[in-house]
C-alpha cells in the first residue's frame, strides 16, 4: 500500500475528511449511525459552524427522539462495535 493513498482515504464519500484529520473517527462514527450526512456536494465541511437547526437534528437522531406522531426520528439501526 502506498502511504499517500492511505492518508488520503476519506470518510464515506466526504472528499474533505481523510484519515489524518483529527475528527476522522468521530465523523465516521456519526455517519455510520445516520447522525451526520454531510453536504450534497460530497463534503462534510468539518471546520464549518453548524446552525442550531442542524445541531438539533443531529441530537434528535442521536437520542432517537420521537416526533409528534410518536415515530422515532432516527430510523437508522445503531451499529454496535
Amino acid at each position: 500500500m502506498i502511504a499517500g493513498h492511505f492518508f488520503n482515504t476519506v470518510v464515506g464519500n466526504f472528499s474533505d475528511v481523510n484519515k489524518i484529520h483529527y475528527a476522522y473517527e468521530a465523523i465516521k462514527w456519526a455517519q455510520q449511525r445516520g447522525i451526520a450526512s454531510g453536504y450534497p456536494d460530497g463534503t462534510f465541511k468539518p471546520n464549518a459552524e453548524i446552525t442550531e437547526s442542524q445541531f438539533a437534528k443531529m441530537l434528535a437522531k442521536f437520542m432517537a427522539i420521537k416526533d409528534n406522531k410518536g415515530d422515532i426520528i432516527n430510523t437508522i439501526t445503531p451499529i454496535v462495535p
Side-chain angles (χ1 to χ4, degrees), residues 3-4 6 9 16 20 24 31 36-39 41 47-49 51 55-57 60 64-65 69 72 75 77 79-80:
F6 174 78
T9 302
D16 57 346
I20 61 172
Y24 175 84
Q31 181 192 30
S37 57
Y39 291 89
D41 66 356
N47 298 319
E49 293 183 11
T51 65
F55 175 75
K57 184 174 181 178
I65 296 173
K69 296 179 184 176
I72 295 178
T75 59
T77 304
I79 299 172
V80 179

Side-chain angles (χ1 to χ4, degrees), residues 39 44-52 54-55 58:
Y39 291 89
F44 185 79
K45 301 180 184 177
N47 298 319
E49 293 183 11
I50 63 171
T51 65
E52 288 179 21
Q54 290 169 320
F55 175 75
M58 288 188 294

Side-chain angles (χ1 to χ4, degrees), residues 18-75:
N18 59 35
K19 283 192 172 190
I20 61 172
H21 190 278
Y22 74 94
Y24 175 84
E25 291 296 329
I27 294 168
K28 179 180 170 183
W29 180 90
Q31 181 192 30
Q32 289 174 334
R33 287 156 179 79
I35 296 168
S37 57
Y39 291 89
D41 66 356
T43 62
F44 185 79
K45 301 180 184 177
N47 298 319
E49 293 183 11
I50 63 171
T51 65
E52 288 179 21
S53 174
Q54 290 169 320
F55 175 75
K57 184 174 181 178
M58 288 188 294
L59 182 61
K61 286 182 175 188
F62 174 73
M63 298 189 67
I65 296 173
K66 295 181 181 183
D67 65 13
N68 61 358
K69 296 179 184 176
D71 296 325
I72 295 178
I73 293 172
N74 181 9
T75 59

Side-chain angles (χ1 to χ4, degrees), residues 4-23:
H5 177 72
F6 174 78
F7 289 120
N8 288 326
T9 302
V10 296
V11 173
N13 296 324
F14 302 142
S15 61
D16 57 346
V17 182
N18 59 35
K19 283 192 172 190
I20 61 172
H21 190 278
Y22 74 94

